Amino acid sequence: AKAVSDGTAARLGVGAGIAVGVFGIDVMSIVADNTSIKVVGDAALKGVTVTSDHDNTEALQAQAGSAGGISITPVLALLISGAHVESSLGKYTYLLNATEDVSISAKSNCAREIAANASAAGGSVGVGASFCISVLNDSATAALRRSMRARTVKIVAVCRSSLKSTS
């Protein structure tokens, strides 16, 4: 999202810019509690894989300018964002046997950029103020909630969040 404003006047120049971004996402791979997993015939259950992956980029920019004898420019960029990624194999009464591997993974990667730019050209007074505010809430959860027998059991949850803020 991008907000741009520009104001010019002989005596008093006022420019203002506000950009607000609200983003949210839930990514889930879930085998619910009390779900029976059955193998048909005499075959054995080989392995189980439950995976959730999320990769996201967000950008928010607010910019304004003004010119005049007295020039005032306030700018605000506000970003509210969250990503929740979850993978789970739910509860069940009986032991689940697998002849090979069990893997449950939840991975989230969020890259964000937020910028606010205020310019004020005043003949006698120029005031430019820019503010970036971010409220972020990211998470990744992976869970095995039932009794399990397998060659290997791997449970991984990774959440990476980066923020570049320029004001």
Side-chain angles (χ1 to χ4, degrees), residues 128-146:
S130 60
F131 304 93
C132 291
I133 299 172
S134 57
V135 179
L136 308 175
N137 184 16
D138 298 332
S139 63
T141 304
L144 174 60
R145 294 189 170 99
R146 66 171 57 194

Side-chain angles (χ1 to χ4, degrees), residues 9 23 42 47 53 57 78 89 91 94 96 103 105 116 122:
F23 305 97
D42 293 334
D53 285 324
T57 302
L78 172 63
L89 187 54
K91 296 176 187 175
Y94 302 106
L96 185 61
S103 174
S105 68

Side-chain angles (χ1 to χ4, degrees), residues 9 13 16 18-19 21 23 32-33 43 56 58 65 81 83-84 88 96 103 110 127 137 139 141 149 153 158 162 165:
I18 297 174
F23 305 97
D33 289 347
N56 185 41
E58 298 167 3
S81 181
H84 172 72
S88 71
L96 185 61
S103 174
C110 295
V127 177
N137 184 16
S139 63
T141 304
R149 180 180 294 139
V153 176
V158 178
S162 65
S165 179

Side-chain angles (χ1 to χ4, degrees), residues 13 20 31 34-35 44 66 73 81 93 107 109 143 146 153 156:
V20 177
V31 177
N34 300 315
T35 299
S66 64
T73 306
S81 181
T93 307
K107 297 177 184 175
N109 183 29
R146 66 171 57 194
V153 176
V156 177

